[in-house]
Amino acid sequence: MRVRKLTLAAMALAAGLSLTACQNDDGGSDQGAAPPASSAASSSNGGSGSAGSDQQDGSDSAGKSPNGTDGTDGTGGSGGTGGTGEDAKAAKCSTDELEITAIDATVGGDAEGTVAVDLKNGGGRDCSLAGYAGVDLKTNSGTVSAERTGDPAPRIVLGDGETVTFGITYPINDSGGSGVRITGLVVTPPDETKSVTLDWPGGSSLPVTDGSGTPVRVGPLGSAGQGG
């Protein structure tokens, strides 16, 4: 009986040890499985961190856009300076900045008379002009306004001391009569309302017409001779 009890006790002890060993093996397996779980979490965090890094980079980029890239934009601001250059284009020439003179420019044999008008920039800075000047002839019968030739009228920038010229053409009075006597020339620079009155340097009179004759014409800035 004692031998049987000892045998049973030994068997119980062996079973206990075997069970403990199995439990330890399972625990080791669980512990062995932990690293992959930790890796997966790390990968997920890393991916998220990577996206965060991309966003951060974007953030940095965005941050640098107003700040660091400002330097670049500042250069672009230089381009902006180009833009500023555009915005800083020479302002228009005012009547008070221009020295306006007129001379007879008729060439012998021409069918029409020509007067050349010079606009000289005396304002001490660059200024711009574009289009046609207003031209009126004062006569003993009232005012005669010149018609535009319709030629292209580009924008012109005048440096200080530079001059631009345009032409006025008018019909020559060869009728033998007194015609319409010209008493003065009124010039209004483009986009200005202030005019300058000059002595008329051309023929002393215009032929009397019923309105169907050759009109007085003005060419665009930059033209000279025959109004164009």
Side-chain angles (χ1 to χ4, degrees):
M1 276 306 282
R2 182 174 179 79
V3 173
R4 182 180 178 84
K5 285 181 181 179
L6 286 176
T7 302
L8 289 175
M11 289 175 62
L13 179 58
L17 289 174
S18 174
L19 179 60
T20 301
C22 288
Q23 287 175 349
N24 285 342
D25 287 344
D26 289 343
S29 177
D30 288 344
Q31 287 172 3
S38 175
S39 259
S42 178
S43 174
S44 172
N45 291 339
S48 182
S50 201
S53 177
D54 289 344
Q55 290 171 358
Q56 184 63 41
D57 288 344
S59 220
D60 286 344
S61 269
K64 286 179 185 176
S65 214
N67 301 321
T69 305
D70 246 3
T72 307
D73 287 344
T75 308
S78 228
T81 300
T84 306
E86 287 296 317
D87 297 337
K89 277 180 182 175
K92 72 173 185 177
C93 302
S94 67
T95 302
D96 291 334
E97 292 177 299
L98 298 170
E99 299 170 19
I100 304 176
T101 56
I103 61 170
D104 183 9
T106 304
V107 177
D110 283 352
E112 294 179 311
T114 302
V115 166
V117 179
D118 289 341
L119 282 69
K120 181 179 180 180
N121 177 12
R125 65 181 180 92
D126 291 355
C127 66
S128 65
L129 291 165
Y132 287 75
V135 169
D136 296 299
L137 301 187
K138 288 184 172 182
T139 77
N140 60 340
S141 297
T143 300
V144 176
S145 296
E147 297 179 7
R148 296 177 179 181
T149 62
D151 294 326
R155 179 176 176 273
I156 297 170
V157 176
L158 288 181
D160 184 39
E162 292 183 342
T163 299
V164 64
T165 303
F166 67 87
I168 302 169
T169 58
Y170 61 95
I172 295 173
N173 180 21
D174 54 9
S175 66
S178 60
V180 178
R181 187 166 55 88
I182 304 172
T183 60
L185 168 64
V186 181
V187 176
T188 309
D191 298 321
E192 279 290 288
T193 55
K194 186 175 182 179
S195 303
V196 172
T197 300
L198 307 170
D199 290 335
W200 174 251
S204 61
S205 65
L206 299 174
V208 177
T209 69
D210 58 5
S212 61
T214 303
V216 176
R217 294 180 300 169
V218 56
L221 297 175
S223 70
Q226 300 305 312

